[in-house]
Amino acid sequence: MIIDVEKWEATLRTDSGLEERLRRLTPEGHPATKKGDLLCIKLQGNDSLVVSWDGSEIHVSQREAKKPFCSWTMDANTFNQLFLGTCPPLLVAMNNDQANVKMGADHHNGSLALSFMVMLQECMEGGEGR
C-alpha cells in the first residue's frame, strides 16, 4: 500500500483553520494540543501512518508511534473502504470498529485526529493512494 504522505502533510500544513486549532490555548493559557504523536493508523502488514505535532510544525510519517492520542488498527480492505471507496462517516466507522480504536478523552485532540483522517480521505480521492 503506497500513500502519498508528503501530499497529506502539505495539506495539513497549509490549512489555516487547522493551524489555528493546533495553536489553541486552554482557558489557563496552556497549549491545548498534545505534543507528540496525535494519530496513528496501524495498517496490518505495513508501516503505521503517524501524524505528530512538535509545537510548531505538523509531521506525517510511516513509522511506529509513541503513545499516540488516537490509534486505529485496520487491515488493507478496511483502509481501502474508508479512504478510497464508499464508506460511512468516520465517526460511524470508528464506532463500528471500537475494539480496534484507542482514543484519549480530550475533545480538542480528538477532533484534530478526526480532521487529519478527513484530510487523508480527501488527499486519496481520485486514486492518489493505493
Side-chain angles (χ1 to χ4, degrees), residues 31-89:
T33 304
K34 171 189 185 274
K35 281 189 186 177
D37 296 339
L38 290 168
L39 170 66
C40 174
I41 300 176
K42 295 181 182 181
L43 301 170
Q44 295 169 350
N46 293 279
D47 290 332
S48 298
L49 295 169
V50 178
V51 179
S52 59
W53 169 249
D54 65 10
S56 61
E57 281 191 322
I58 197 155
H59 302 279
V60 177
S61 54
Q62 289 187 273
R63 61 173 172 80
E64 286 303 311
K66 297 175 185 164
K67 297 182 184 177
F69 178 82
C70 174
S71 179
W72 190 354
T73 302
M74 64 184 78
D75 60 27
N77 288 336
T78 302
F79 182 88
N80 288 339
Q81 178 190 11
L82 291 171
F83 294 99
L84 292 174
T86 58
C87 66

Side-chain angles (χ1 to χ4, degrees), residues 2 4 9 13 17-18 26-27 36 38 42 46 56 63 79-80 86 98 107 112 119-120 125 130:
I2 300 167
D4 190 344
E9 183 177 70
R13 286 185 175 183
L18 180 61
T26 65
L38 290 168
K42 295 181 182 181
N46 293 279
S56 61
R63 61 173 172 80
F79 182 88
N80 288 339
T86 58
Q98 284 183 32
H107 174 75
L112 285 172
M119 289 180 177
L120 174 61
E125 286 179 359
R130 293 180 288 283

